[in-house]
Amino acid sequence: MLLSIRVLNALPQLSISPYSGAHSAIGGQLDDRLARWMTFISGASKEQWEELAMDMPGLKKAMTTLEFLSQDKEMRALYEMRKKAQLDEQSALDYAETRGEERGRTAVAMNLLRKGMSTAEIAEVTGFSEAEIEELKKQWH
């Protein structure tokens, strides 16, 4: 706790040059990233946020979190509902993709069965177990 207070007391003494959008020739990308963070922390206007967050997902997340925490209770509830809806939609898409891949593998296995390929070869090609291929054979006949 004492260390945190000392660090906070020292911050106003630091000389922070605002982010200008250009990389320094000496420090390169690390100096640029640090300058962006320091500009944001020191109270950059919202108009600057998009430029500051460019190619910096961590900074973008901090900005989103700050916006969220700055909202009133009703706005936070709306944000949380929207976020949940987005997560639900992504989950449904992931499930559909997995289901589609499974159907595709099944279709390939069925086609290979029709061509007369052995159970072991079909299992090797599709990733199904031989027992699963035998189940597909039963469905086919």
Side-chain angles (χ1 to χ4, degrees):
M1 177 87 170
L2 185 58
L3 179 61
S4 299
I5 293 170
R6 286 186 184 156
V7 170
L8 288 175
N9 287 337
L11 281 177
Q13 300 167 5
L14 294 175
S15 174
I16 302 169
S17 57
Y19 172 70
S20 65
H23 292 282
S24 75
I26 298 171
Q29 192 172 14
L30 182 60
D31 284 347
D32 178 58
R33 294 170 57 86
L34 181 59
R36 289 182 193 201
W37 270 103
M38 295 304 289
T39 301
F40 171 66
I41 290 170
S42 65
S45 67
K46 280 199 171 190
E47 291 79 32
Q48 292 177 292
W49 284 17
E50 187 175 335
E51 180 184 356
L52 290 173
M54 210 176 308
D55 300 324
M56 292 185 63
L59 183 54
K60 178 70 174 163
K61 185 174 182 176
M63 291 171 177
T64 303
T65 302
L66 179 61
E67 279 184 321
F68 171 71
L69 293 174
S70 300
Q71 296 172 352
D72 63 17
K73 209 175 212 180
E74 185 178 320
M75 291 303 291
R76 278 196 304 270
L78 288 172
Y79 172 84
E80 287 174 0
M81 287 181 358
R82 183 173 57 97
K83 193 70 170 168
K84 183 184 179 316
Q86 287 173 337
L87 291 172
D88 289 346
E89 181 180 2
Q90 186 60 48
S91 179
L93 289 172
D94 291 345
Y95 173 77
E97 181 179 354
T98 301
R99 184 76 177 117
E101 289 171 355
E102 187 69 21
R103 283 185 175 173
R105 284 189 335 144
T106 301
V108 168
M110 293 298 283
N111 286 336
L112 295 176
L113 280 171
R114 287 186 194 102
K115 296 277 185 191
M117 193 178 273
S118 74
T119 302
E121 289 174 317
I122 296 172
E124 183 181 333
V125 169
T126 63
F128 285 130
S129 68
E130 290 189 32
E132 290 170 314
I133 302 298
E134 290 300 327
E135 282 297 314
L136 288 175
K137 273 186 185 179
K138 288 178 188 174
Q139 290 174 15
W140 179 45
H141 288 103

